[in-house]
């Protein structure tokens, strides 16, 4: 029987020694703290999700605004390019007209210059002809006068 008692005591001591201690109150407290943390995390998660949703909406709105501004900028650039092309076309037409006018004026000036050169040459020829005729006439007059003077001189010498 001592063995039996020793075995019972050993079983009881082992079951008491290695048995579970009542930690239900500690576990309940930890559980409630974990529930509170879980609630806080859930609340923070929902706040963060709503913030992310708002940020996504703002991002989409910003993207739309940027797209519309870019589209408007491109339209303005296209209008400016069209206006510049029209201005360049107008300038090109005016430049061509001006070149034609300058060419016409140059041709007219060349004609007038050629006419003036012809007139100058004709005037020079006429002047040479007039001077040669005048020179010949004065030479003939001088010869007649000298001849007359010679004749008068010879008569004067012969009379003496």
């Amino acid at each position: 029987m001592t063995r039996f008692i020793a075995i019972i005591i050993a079983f009881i001591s082992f079951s008491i020694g290695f048995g579970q201690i009542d930690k239900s109150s500690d576990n309940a407290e930890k559980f409630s703290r974990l529930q509170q943390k879980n609630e806080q995390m859930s609340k923070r998660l929902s706040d963060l999700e709503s913030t992310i949703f708002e940020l996504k909406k703002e991002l989409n709105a910003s993207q739309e605004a940027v797209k519309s501004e870019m589209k408007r900028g491109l339209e303005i650039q296209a209008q400016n390019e069209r206006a510049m092309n029209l201005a360049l076309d107008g300038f090109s037409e005016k430049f061509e007209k001006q070149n034609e006018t300058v060419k016409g004026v140059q041709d007219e000036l060349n004609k007038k210059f050629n006419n003036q050169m012809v007139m100058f040459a004709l005037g020079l020829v006429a002047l040479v002809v007039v001077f040669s005729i005048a020179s010949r006439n004065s030479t003939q007059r001088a010869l007649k006068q000298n001849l007359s003077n010679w004749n008068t001189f010879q008569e004067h010498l012969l009379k003496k």
Side-chain angles (χ1 to χ4, degrees):
M1 176 110 175
T2 28
R3 270 198 211 168
F4 182 70
I5 293 179
I7 292 176
I8 290 181
I9 290 178
F11 275 127
I12 291 176
S13 68
F14 278 122
S15 58
I16 290 174
F18 290 108
Q20 291 184 350
I21 301 173
D22 187 21
K23 293 188 177 182
S24 64
S25 64
D26 285 342
N27 286 340
E29 188 178 314
K30 285 181 181 179
F31 183 72
S32 69
R33 277 188 278 164
L34 285 176
Q35 279 182 331
Q36 287 176 351
K37 279 188 179 181
N38 190 17
E39 287 174 7
Q40 288 174 352
M41 291 295 191
S42 295
K43 187 176 179 182
R44 286 186 70 196
L45 181 63
S46 67
D47 289 344
L48 289 174
E49 284 177 346
S50 65
T51 304
I52 288 172
F53 181 72
E54 291 296 321
L55 289 174
K56 281 184 180 180
K57 281 178 25 180
E58 289 178 13
L59 179 65
N60 287 337
S62 298
Q63 285 176 341
E64 290 300 319
V66 167
K67 283 180 185 178
S68 67
E69 284 296 319
M70 286 182 67
K71 186 176 180 181
R72 197 181 80 149
L74 290 174
E75 288 173 357
I76 290 172
Q77 183 180 2
Q79 288 175 352
N80 289 341
E81 285 179 6
R82 281 191 294 268
M84 183 65 84
N85 286 338
L86 290 174
L88 287 174
D89 289 343
F91 178 74
S92 175
E93 289 175 13
K94 287 180 182 178
F95 188 71
E96 290 297 324
K97 286 179 183 178
Q98 185 179 16
N99 281 345
E100 290 174 8
T101 304
V102 167
K103 186 177 178 184
V105 168
Q106 186 68 34
D107 291 342
E108 188 69 28
L109 286 175
N110 285 340
K111 286 180 187 177
K112 286 185 178 182
F113 181 74
N114 289 339
N115 287 341
Q116 286 178 351
M117 290 302 288
V118 167
M119 291 298 207
F120 177 72
L122 289 176
L124 191 59
V125 168
L127 190 62
V128 167
V129 169
V130 167
F131 279 141
S132 66
I133 290 173
S135 175
R136 197 160 88 176
N137 283 341
S138 68
T139 304
Q140 284 178 356
R141 233 183 292 142
L143 279 175
K144 283 181 186 179
Q145 189 176 9
N146 281 342
L147 186 59
S148 150
N149 286 341
W150 180 255
N151 286 339
T152 311
F153 175 69
Q154 280 183 356
E155 279 180 19
H156 178 59
L157 276 180
L158 288 174
K159 284 185 180 177
K160 282 196 178 185

